[in-house]
C-alpha cells in the first residue's frame, strides 16, 4: 500500500503524519510526505512558523526544516516537496497533492483538516478539492 501525507508542519498535519506512520506499520505500507511551498511568500511562511520574525525567505532552509520534522515523525517516510506560485490558493495546493497522489499511486491520503465537517461536501479548502476524487481514500484527521 502507498500512503500520502501532505505536511506543512502545523499541529494538524503533524498528527495526520503520525497516523499515517501508525497505520503504515500495521499495513506494510510506504509513506510519502509532501510539502507544498508557496514561492517567496514570507507572510505565508511566517504564518506556518517556517520563518522567524526577522528571517528572510529561503526555500532550502524551509525544506530542510520540514524534512527534519517529517523524518522525526515518520523515519521511514519518503519526503518530497514542490513549490507553487507566491499567492497560490488552496486549489493550487490541492492540485499538487492530487498530482503527487496520482504519481505515487496512493491508496490513502492522510489529510489534517481542522475545519472538516460531518459531511464531506461541507469541507472547505484543500479537503474539499481532494474529496471529489474516488481513486484514493482520504483519512481525515480533525484534531491533534
Amino acid at each position: 500500500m502507498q500512503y500520502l501525507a501532505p505536511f506543512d508542519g502545523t499541529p494538524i498535519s503533524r498528527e495526520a503524519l503520525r497516523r499515517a506512520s501508525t497505520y503504515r506499520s500495521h499495513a506494510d505500507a510506504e509513506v510519502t510526505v509532501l510539502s507544498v511551498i508557496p514561492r517567496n511568500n514570507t507572510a505565508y511562511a511566517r504564518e506556518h512558523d517556517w520563518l522567524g520574525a526577522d528571517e528572510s525567505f529561503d526555500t532550502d532552509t524551509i525544506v530542510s526544516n520540514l524534512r527534519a520534522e517529517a523524518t522525526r515523525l515518520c523515519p521511514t517516510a519518503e519526503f518530497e516537496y514542490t513549490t507553487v506560485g507566491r499567492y497560490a490558493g488552496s486549489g493550487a495546493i490541492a492540485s499538487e497533492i492530487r498530482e503527487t497522489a496520482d504519481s505515487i499511486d496512493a491508496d490513502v491520503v492522510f489529510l489534517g483538516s481542522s475545519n472538516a465537517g460531518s459531511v464531506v461536501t461541507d469541507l472547505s479548502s484543500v479537503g474539499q478539492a481532494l474529496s471529489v476524487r474516488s481513486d484514493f481514500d482520504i483519512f481525515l484527521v480533525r484534531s491533534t
Side-chain angles (χ1 to χ4, degrees):
M1 291 195 90
Q2 182 66 47
Y3 296 160
L4 175 63
F7 183 75
D8 62 6
T10 57
I12 198 77
S13 74
R14 287 193 303 266
E15 185 59 28
L17 180 52
R18 280 187 203 99
R19 303 270 179 97
S21 182
T22 299
Y23 280 75
R24 177 209 65 76
S25 65
H26 297 291
D28 193 31
E30 295 179 22
V31 176
T32 299
V33 175
L34 175 67
S35 292
V36 181
I37 302 167
R39 287 185 293 277
N40 298 314
N41 191 328
T42 303
Y44 186 93
R46 287 193 178 125
E47 287 171 17
H48 285 77
D49 293 325
W50 296 346
L51 297 175
D54 58 347
E55 289 181 285
S56 59
F57 193 94
D58 179 46
T59 301
D60 292 337
T61 299
I62 291 168
V63 168
S64 178
N65 291 340
L66 287 169
R67 177 182 280 121
E69 187 172 5
T71 301
R72 182 180 61 77
L73 295 168
C74 186
T76 61
E78 176 75 25
F79 181 86
E80 296 182 14
Y81 79 94
T82 188
T83 60
V84 292
R86 181 178 184 151
Y87 300 111
S90 59
I93 293 170
S95 178
E96 294 294 329
I97 295 168
R98 282 192 307 269
E99 286 179 22
T100 300
D102 288 343
S103 73
I104 67 169
D105 198 24
D107 296 293
V108 182
V109 175
F110 284 76
L111 182 65
S113 180
S114 59
N115 63 354
S118 59
V119 178
V120 173
T121 57
D122 287 343
L123 296 177
S124 62
S125 72
V126 173
Q128 181 180 19
L130 290 176
S131 67
V132 299
R133 296 289 298 271
S134 62
D135 46 341
F136 51 78
D137 291 329
I138 299 174
F139 187 110
L140 284 175
V141 176
R142 299 188 300 175
S143 63
T144 56

